[in-house]
Amino acid sequence: MKKLILLLFVVIVPSATNAQGWNAILNLNPFPSPYISDWETNPAAIGSMAIFNNSGIGEIILIKTSVTHQVQGIVFTSVTNEINISSASVTVLDNTSLFDFDDASFPNATLKTQVRRTGRLPEGKYTACMTIEDMNGLILVANVCGDFTIIYPEPPHLIYPANQDSIPGEISYPTFQWTPVMVPPAYIINYTLKIVELLQGQTPAQALSANYPHYINNQIDINSFTYPIDALPLNYNKTYVWQVQVLDQF
């Protein structure tokens, strides 16, 4: 699905049990993408960590992560590859550096199968906790944690025109309506309206899959849309199939 960066962040104050001169702050999107591939490739998929190094000395570190579902327990744990932190006072790492799924451990076999099969995390509330260690196992920053929620919105349902409905010939620019997708205010979505002509012998699904769109618009932000006057006209005595999909912010 399409992806945009969430602008709202949750800032978590790190644990006080840190090595001298080291600190960290974890910034998580409150409603991140559920897709593991996004966490690995999209720098804005879940968030970032600011690491504060006031020791004046560079360090090679590992970040150990545990992600826990509120109901189902630990979903996975992971350890990053070696990360070189310079002597600069602040280093910001995005989520592509914070999570390593190639060697991730999934304690729950059922959850492991589900995540591997679907490529996404289950719905629900989560807590991610990270610990930064040097290469000798010394903990530099312990238990920097943040919460986030994975949501799968209900798909929209078409309202008007209804199935098998006929639009009067004098209405050249009908208004299409569907149920809104209910998501939290911070969760940005767009609707895509697609209209194709139904050819003889086709099912609606075949038409949507195979036919060139008569009209398509993927920048609709409300649950209704009036067919534009500058679009290809809808022809009288022809049959059309229409579809609405919701695209989230990622």
Side-chain angles (χ1 to χ4, degrees), residues 169-228:
E170 64 271 14
I171 301 179
S172 301
Y173 308 102
T175 295
F176 296 85
Q177 298 177 325
W178 55 91
T179 58
V181 173
M182 306 305 295
V183 295
Y187 206 81
I188 302 170
I189 60 173
N190 284 319
Y191 299 98
T192 292
L193 171 65
K194 180 180 180 181
I195 302 173
V196 301
E197 183 181 350
L198 182 68
L199 303 178
Q200 187 174 0
Q202 285 185 321
T203 66
Q206 289 171 336
L208 286 167
S209 174
N211 296 356
Y212 188 82
H214 187 88
Y215 179 80
I216 190 167
N217 186 333
N218 60 8
Q219 297 296 322
I220 304 172
D221 57 8
I222 59 174
N223 61 305
S224 65
F225 182 78
T226 299
Y227 196 77

Side-chain angles (χ1 to χ4, degrees), residues 18 20 26 28 31 58 67 87 97 100 111 118 124 133 137 153 165 174 206 225 247:
N18 301 333
Q20 184 175 4
L26 186 61
L28 296 183
F31 305 103
V67 174
S87 58
S97 299
D100 185 354
L111 282 177
T118 64
E133 297 182 0
D165 212 355
Q206 289 171 336
F225 182 78
L247 308 176

Side-chain angles (χ1 to χ4, degrees), residues 30-154:
F31 305 103
S33 167
Y35 293 96
I36 295 300
S37 60
D38 287 339
W39 290 32
E40 295 177 306
T41 60
N42 179 2
I46 184 168
S48 62
M49 173 185 278
I51 300 175
F52 301 92
N53 176 12
N54 296 313
S55 69
I57 302 172
E59 191 73 69
I60 298 175
I61 66 168
L62 300 174
I63 300 177
K64 296 183 177 180
T65 299
S66 176
V67 174
T68 303
H69 189 279
Q70 188 179 63
V71 175
Q72 303 187 60
I74 296 176
V75 178
F76 70 88
T77 60
S78 70
V79 181
T80 64
N81 295 321
E82 297 177 2
I83 300 174
N84 192 357
I85 301 297
S86 71
S87 58
S89 59
V90 182
T91 300
V92 178
L93 302 176
D94 62 49
N95 49 250
T96 61
S97 299
L98 296 176
F99 300 94
D100 185 354
F101 290 99
D102 290 337
D103 298 316
S105 174
F106 292 80
N108 186 314
T110 301
L111 282 177
K112 178 180 180 178
T113 300
Q114 179 180 348
V115 173
R116 295 299 191 192
R117 177 176 56 83
T118 64
R120 63 188 185 185
L121 296 176
E123 285 188 291
K125 295 182 178 180
Y126 288 80
T127 298
C129 288
M130 301 183 183
T131 294
I132 302 173
E133 297 182 0
D134 68 13
M135 297 307 295
N136 295 316
L138 175 66
I139 295 177
L140 303 177
V141 184
N143 294 325
V144 185
C145 299
D147 297 328
F148 61 93
T149 302
I150 297 294
I151 295 177
Y152 302 160
E154 286 293 322

